[in-house]
Every structure is written in C-alpha cells, then in structure tokens.
Amino acid sequence: MESKETEKAPIVVSKSFVAFGPTLHYSHKNVQRNWLLAIVIFGISCLFWSKIATGTFWSFEIETVPTSEFWRLDKSLVTVVSIFEYPWQIVVLGLLMGILAITPVLISQLMSFEYSLPFILEVVFLANLPGFAVCLLISCFAVASRPLRFRSRFIAVVLCAAPQLIYWGYFGRARGVEPIEWGFSFAPWICAWLESLVIAGFVLGIGHFTRYRPGLVWVFTFLTLVIAVVVFEVAIGFDELDYQLHVAKNNPENVSEFHDHSITEALNETTRDPAIQKYLQGFFYPTERGALRAELKREIQLQLSYDRWPTWFKVPQQLEYQAKKEWLLDQYDKFITNRSNSLRMPIALYFKAILSEYSPDIRVLGDKEELHFYSDYPHERSAETWFKLYRDFGNSPESLEARWRIAKLWAGRGIFEQADELLAETQSLVAEQLKLLKAKQRPNESLFGLFQRPAETVMTVPRLSELQRRLDQLRALIGAENRTGQQDSAELLAQFVALNPHTLNYPQQLERLLQQTKDNAPIRDNILLAQAKLIDDEQLRAEKLTKLHQEHQDTDGGIQALYEQGLLKISLWRQQDESDPEMKKKCLDEARAILTSFLSLYPDSVYVEQVKRNLDGLPAN
C-alpha cells in the first residue's frame, strides 16, 4: 500500500534561476536569424553613436578603462557637436541612447540572458561605453531572473532598467558650466529614457498579441535608428559634423603651439650641455659662454627663416610647431576633399591659408628670445589657396581677407590698377559686412538664449575692423601720388610693398631702397616712416616721427607719422607708474593733443575713425 502511494506522488522539477523567454518557443533557425539581424542593427547604432559623440566610428581605447572617461558621458554633449550649439543633437543622442539602453534588456527578457551578451559587448567595443555596459549587464541579468519576471513584462523592464537611470543621473551631467546649462545637460538622457519606454511599449504591446514572434526587437530598433539618422542629417548634417571635427575645433589662433613661447630656458640648457658644446667645437663656434650663446641664437634665427630648428638645439615639446602645423593642414584637407559642397568650405580654406601664412617672427626672436608667429604678410606659398577662396567663394566674408592678400601680392608685382580696384571693392563689402554683424550682435536674454548656433563666419567685428584698417592703409600706399614723379617710382613702390617686415634683413632692405630714392621721391616718406617704427628707444622714435611729420605734412607717410606718434604717447601713458602722476598726466595730455590735432588737420584721412576710437578710450583726466 505504501509503495503504491509512493508511485503516485508527483515529481517536482526544480526551475533554474535564469528563465527562458517566450520567443525561444519558435523555430530555432528563425529565432537565430532575427537575433543576428538585431545584433547587426544594434552594432550600427553603436557605431553611429561613436561617430556623432567622438567624431570617429571606432573610438575604443583600452587606456581609458582606468580613467574617469570610462564612466563619464558629458563629453558626448560638447566634444564634437555641442547640444548648446545644435539643440537637435539632444533628440539624436536621446534616440541612440534609448536604443542602447533598452534593446539588450528586451532581448534578455524575450529570449534569455546569454543572448544579450553580444549586445553588451558591442556597447563596450563599438560605442566605447564600457561603464554603461556594466549597467546593462546588471539590467539584463535582472530582467531574465525569475524573481523579477512579473506578469506585466513592461513593468519588469522599467524596474530592471533602473541602473541606466542611475548612470545617466550621476555620470551624464555636464561639468564646469552654468546652473542652467547643467540642467539642460540632462535633456538627452531624459529623452533617452522616454524613447526606451516607447520602444519597450511597442515591442511588448504588439508582442502580447503576436505571441512575441521573433523580429519585433530589430524592427523597432531599426526604425528608431532611421529616425535618428534622418533627424541628424536634416537638422545638423554630416558635413557639419566633419566641419566641427576637422575645422571648427582646429582654429590656428587657439592652438597652443602657435602662441608665444620663450626659448630662453631651452637656449640656456643647450649651451650648458657638455655633449652639445663638444659637438659645436668641431664647427669653430666660440668657446666663451656669452659669445657662444649669441652665435647660437643667431643660428636659430637663420634656421627658423627656413622653418626648421638647428639639429643641435634641444627643442622642448611646446616649441614643436612643425608637426602640429602638418597635422592641422591634413585636417583641413580632409574636409576640403570630402565636403567640397559644404557651406563651411570658405572657413576651411581660410584656416588653411592663414595657417600656411604662419611663420616665426625672426626679429622678435632676436629681440625678446620669444617664438612669436605672424600671419599678416601674404606669402607666395599661400597664394593658391587665397585665390581659390576668392574665385570659388567670392561672396563669403572670408573672401574679404583673401582679396586684401591678393591685392597686396599684385601690388608687390607692380599690378597697381587691378590691386586698387580690388581694394576699393573690398572696402565697400567690408563696410556692409560690419553693419550686418553689428546688427546680429543683439543678445538673446530668453531662457533658450544659451542655445547659440555656431557663427556662419569666422570674420568677427574686430577682425573686420582690423582688415578695414589694412585695406585703407594699403590703398593709400599704392595711390597715384606714390606712383608718379620719378620714372622708377612705380618700381620702387612695388619693391617697398613686397618687403617682409619680419625678416632679418628688413632694415637693410629699407636702407637700400632709401638710397635709390631722391629727396623728392613720393615713396621716400613711407620708407622713412618704416625705419622710424623700427627704433626700439621710444623717446628717439617719437622724435623721428615728429620730424617726419613736420617735413612731410601733406604726404600719406607724414600723416601716418602723426597718427603713430599719438599711439606711441598712449602707450607711454599706459606704461607710466601710478607713483608718478604728473608724468602720467603729461603723456595723457600729449596723446589727447596729438590725436585732436590730427582730426583738425586731416578730417578726411583713412585713420579718422581709429583716432576717434582712441580718443574715446582715453579718460577725461
């Protein structure tokens, strides 16, 4: 009797902790085919995330794992395409992050935990979000476990996706920004949370009536990805992405290698190095430390005139500008080659041309032992890029700079008529552009004022004002009065215009030109002015400028000499110590008197507006 009861007792089979989802009840081949398709589409989503967040489709670096970048998301907000410049980027980031946050969780719930592991690995290696992948791992394991498999699959997904919410809240916030920007930095993750709920709602809602057939996850993942790509292309554009990556972030003015750097310490270290001293002895350099140092500095100047450092010079990292210059030119060329139809082409050409102009100022290096770069002289090596900018994008604000440089090159070759016509046309265009920019400078004080789309041009009001000054000055220099008189006046003027004031032999070139001119030569006052501006002693320079103005009151050089004298007095006033108020007041009074007399003597001069601005900037007492 007991044996019969034992035979009839039910057999209890223990259930595994991790359950299998309803989708696995279908044909294995069909399930596997749809699962692989979901992996491919999810991988594309990860790559697209990497592209718009970092600028490259493959950004995984094992070195970042032990750093804070392992977890942080804030760089994706501003690194390439900033959400504060392109508000639609909030939607794009939210759509993509929604895919990344919910797709592996749905796979784990509807299939099983092990099926979600490839998706998590894609987040690590393709999206370069290993920290976020840890949260996904927890969510996927939780949603596949029996204790959290509720009757409502949607509630189970929402609860098990809590690690993603915690991650976004703690690691997704912007750092070092204003409170209102800090608040807006959570917008993409709020959008991602809502989008993940929408995807889960559609998949689980439709799946409830279709018995969770395979394919629902990849279909809605694909639809969301398509929406993200379309929104990005329409509202922002891949050409704008490349512009931000290759051009906008690489403005030569903001590159530290082209900022001023002292070479004093490096030069001292070089002269103290026994190995270098021994090496230099074979080339008959002086043995005395001071004489050796002076000779080495002279050699550095000569070598830098050819854009290279001497082989014996111990170049610090901050002075290694050549490699950076080549890298920047390569970045510009990538954009110019791949995005030839972009509206940003004028800016790319402008940056490329202006970087090509960057050259070490040899005279500053000799006087101050400082590596300083100049770009205000048009070199032949940059002419092709400037001509392309002027020819193909002549209506862009950047072409205004190209016009001045082309006109200066023409004037240096003696093509004065064409240069003057181009300068006259450019003067009117600059004036129009200045009016447009000043009208657009009204601040937006609304809540959404922090969203400022990048400027359509890099030609700012100060930059255009400086260009306007150079246009006026060059046009006055090549005017008819400087080309008439002596038979060779035009040739001498062309030689003077072509001189580079940053070269070592510039003073000798000026003296040679002066010797070729007669006392009544129209270009003589301009040469004398250029020589006076080279004088280091400020008192002596002021005397030379005064004398030049007195002897050439009605010439363009004499007029500019009075203007330069006023600027010199302002500089002397600013340099005076507050402990000597009488001398400071004297310099101020002299500056005001000179500039005021300039306005009365030359009311039609091209320097009038600048003189007025300088006078307005002086204190009353």
Side-chain angles (χ1 to χ4, degrees):
M1 186 72 180
E2 292 179 358
S3 62
K4 289 182 179 180
E5 292 177 356
T6 302
E7 290 176 359
K8 293 179 180 180
I11 300 175
V12 179
V13 179
S14 62
K15 296 182 179 180
S16 63
F17 185 77
V18 178
F20 293 96
T23 300
L24 293 182
H25 296 159
Y26 291 93
S27 166
H28 182 68
K29 288 185 178 181
N30 188 26
V31 170
Q32 191 174 50
R33 184 166 53 250
N34 284 278
W35 175 65
L36 291 174
L37 191 56
I39 290 176
V40 172
I41 295 174
F42 187 79
I44 296 173
S45 302
C46 291
L47 292 174
F48 186 48
W49 166 272
S50 177
K51 178 64 177 179
I52 68 170
T54 66
T56 176
F57 284 114
W58 179 261
S59 59
F60 178 76
E61 296 179 359
I62 192 64
E63 295 84 0
T64 63
V65 172
T67 66
S68 60
E69 295 181 4
F70 180 89
W71 299 94
R72 288 169 51 186
L73 276 173
D74 58 305
K75 284 193 173 183
S76 62
L77 303 175
V78 295
T79 299
V80 181
V81 177
S82 172
I83 64 170
F84 300 112
E85 294 178 338
Y86 305 88
W88 280 102
Q89 182 74 343
I90 294 174
V91 177
V92 176
L93 291 176
L95 290 170
L96 292 175
M97 182 56 77
I99 293 174
L100 271 57
I102 206 65
T103 301
V105 180
L106 290 172
I107 291 292
S108 182
Q109 185 188 60
L110 299 179
M111 299 177 74
S112 68
F113 171 66
E114 58 266 26
Y115 280 86
S116 68
L117 293 179
F119 296 84
I120 297 173
L121 291 176
E122 284 182 316
V123 173
V124 175
F125 295 105
L126 300 184
N128 195 26
L129 294 172
F132 188 65
V134 174
C135 297
L136 284 176
L137 184 67
I138 297 172
S139 295
C140 291
F141 183 79
V143 80
S145 62
R146 289 189 182 277
L148 294 175
R149 294 181 71 82
F150 306 141
R151 182 178 294 276
S152 172
R153 298 182 187 277
F154 183 78
I155 293 177
V157 166
V158 172
L159 291 177
C160 292
Q164 287 90 302
L165 274 176
I166 297 172
Y167 183 89
W168 291 328
Y170 190 78
F171 296 104
R173 66 186 188 277
R175 289 167 169 78
V177 296
E178 296 295 329
I180 189 171
E181 293 180 340
W182 180 86
F184 271 105
S185 68
F186 290 99
W189 320 134
I190 296 173
C191 181
W193 174 241
L194 296 176
E195 178 58 28
S196 65
L197 295 182
V198 170
I199 295 175
F202 274 110
V203 170
L204 297 177
I206 297 175
H208 177 74
F209 296 100
T210 60
R211 301 180 62 84
Y212 302 103
R213 290 181 179 276
L216 285 174
V217 175
W218 77 257
V219 167
F220 284 98
T221 299
F222 177 73
L223 289 176
T224 306
L225 175 61
V226 169
I227 294 172
V229 173
V230 170
V231 170
F232 183 82
E233 177 61 25
V234 172
I236 302 173
F238 286 94
D239 58 341
E240 191 71 10
L241 174 67
D242 284 347
Y243 165 74
Q244 289 293 329
L245 179 64
H246 299 297
V247 181
K249 309 296 184 184
N250 295 318
N251 187 338
E253 292 183 356
N254 301 329
V255 176
S256 61
E257 282 82 355
F258 298 108
H259 296 168
D260 292 348
H261 296 287
S262 174
I263 70 164
T264 301
E265 185 177 348
L267 184 57
N268 290 338
E269 185 179 350
T270 300
T271 57
R272 290 194 297 262
D273 192 313
I276 295 178
Q277 289 179 359
K278 184 177 180 180
Y279 169 78
L280 294 175
Q281 287 176 3
F283 296 93
F284 305 102
Y285 281 90
T287 56
E288 194 272 324
R289 178 70 60 84
L292 175 62
R293 192 179 189 282
E295 186 64 25
L296 294 184
K297 185 168 73 170
R298 176 74 177 181
E299 180 67 21
I300 290 175
Q301 290 179 277
L302 292 174
Q303 293 295 329
L304 278 182
S305 65
Y306 297 101
D307 206 29
R308 60 174 181 256
W309 293 102
T311 56
W312 44 260
F313 184 58
K314 302 178 69 173
V315 185
Q317 185 176 356
Q318 67 269 20
L319 300 182
E320 291 279 10
Y321 71 91
Q322 292 94 338
K324 188 67 174 181
K325 190 173 185 178
E326 291 298 323
W327 182 84
L328 288 173
L329 290 173
D330 181 63
Q331 294 298 304
Y332 303 149
D333 285 337
K334 285 180 180 178
F335 181 82
I336 292 170
T337 303
N338 299 328
R339 301 293 178 181
S340 57
N341 296 323
S342 172
L343 297 176
R344 299 293 194 173
M345 272 292 289
I347 299 178
L349 290 171
Y350 174 85
F351 281 171
K352 179 181 179 180
I354 207 73
L355 179 63
S356 298
E357 304 281 29
Y358 270 43
S359 304
D361 195 318
I362 308 302
R363 295 179 58 247
V364 170
L365 188 137
D367 296 338
K368 301 180 180 180
E369 294 188 356
E370 186 175 83
L371 180 62
H372 171 79
F373 291 88
Y374 69 90
S375 59
D376 59 349
Y377 179 82
H379 293 88
E380 289 291 342
R381 62 175 179 261
S382 310
E384 182 179 354
T385 308
W386 289 121
F387 274 105
K388 179 178 175 61
L389 176 56
Y390 171 57
R391 182 189 68 240
D392 297 342
F393 305 94
N395 294 327
S396 66
E398 286 74 21
S399 70
L400 300 175
E401 179 71 32
R403 292 164 180 264
W404 176 81
R405 294 179 184 267
I406 293 170
K408 190 170 177 66
L409 288 171
W410 282 349
R413 299 169 187 170
I415 312 174
F416 295 112
E417 295 295 339
Q418 288 179 265
D420 186 67
E421 291 177 6
L422 184 59
L423 290 172
E425 179 187 13
T426 309
Q427 282 178 316
S428 61
L429 293 174
V430 169
E432 294 176 6
Q433 187 65 25
L434 277 171
K435 290 180 181 179
L436 290 175
L437 288 182
K438 289 177 180 178
K440 292 181 180 179
Q441 284 185 334
R442 298 172 184 173
N444 185 357
E445 298 180 355
S446 66
L447 177 63
F448 296 96
L450 61 93
F451 294 102
Q452 298 289 337
R453 191 171 179 87
E456 297 177 358
T457 175
V458 295
M459 301 303 290
T460 59
V461 171
R463 191 170 289 171
L464 284 172
S465 299
E466 168 61 19
L467 175 60
Q468 193 176 47
R469 182 193 66 80
R470 285 183 279 130
L471 287 166
D472 295 339
Q473 189 172 346
L474 179 58
R475 195 176 182 203
L477 176 62
I478 66 173
E481 63 274 11
N482 284 336
R483 291 183 267 135
T484 58
Q486 298 181 10
Q487 186 176 1
D488 57 350
S489 293
E491 182 180 348
L492 291 173
L493 177 59
Q495 293 180 33
F496 179 72
V497 172
L499 291 182
N500 184 351
H502 304 282
T503 57
L504 275 177
N505 61 346
Y506 180 62
Q508 291 77 18
Q509 290 176 326
L510 287 176
E511 185 61 32
R512 178 181 56 80
L513 276 179
L514 187 64
Q515 292 175 1
Q516 296 179 34
T517 63
K518 298 179 181 179
D519 292 341
N520 60 346
I523 194 62
R524 188 175 181 85
D525 58 308
N526 301 100
I527 299 174
L528 291 173
L529 175 62
Q531 288 182 324
K533 291 167 67 174
L534 294 177
I535 300 174
D536 293 329
D537 186 272
E538 293 174 335
Q539 188 62 38
L540 181 58
R541 193 194 320 156
E543 294 176 1
K544 289 287 186 181
L545 291 173
T546 301
K547 181 180 179 182
L548 178 59
H549 172 65
Q550 292 173 350
E551 295 178 352
H552 303 272
Q553 289 191 14
D554 298 326
T555 65
D556 60 317
I559 295 173
Q560 187 180 349
L562 183 61
Y563 172 68
E564 294 290 341
Q565 189 178 1
L567 295 183
L568 179 59
K569 291 298 181 181
I570 293 177
S571 177
L572 291 173
W573 163 68
R574 289 173 176 166
Q575 293 175 20
Q576 293 301 319
D577 197 328
E578 294 291 344
S579 60
D580 192 354
E582 293 185 2
M583 180 59 68
K584 194 172 184 68
K585 186 176 183 304
K586 179 182 177 183
C587 293
L588 177 61
D589 293 340
E590 290 178 349
R592 186 181 293 108
I594 291 173
L595 295 178
T596 303
S597 66
F598 186 97
L599 292 178
S600 61
L601 290 172
Y602 311 108
D604 299 325
S605 171
V606 296
Y607 300 101
V608 166
E609 292 300 323
Q610 299 170 54
V611 170
K612 289 180 179 178
R613 285 197 295 268
N614 283 305
L615 275 173
D616 293 339
L618 296 178
N621 295 313

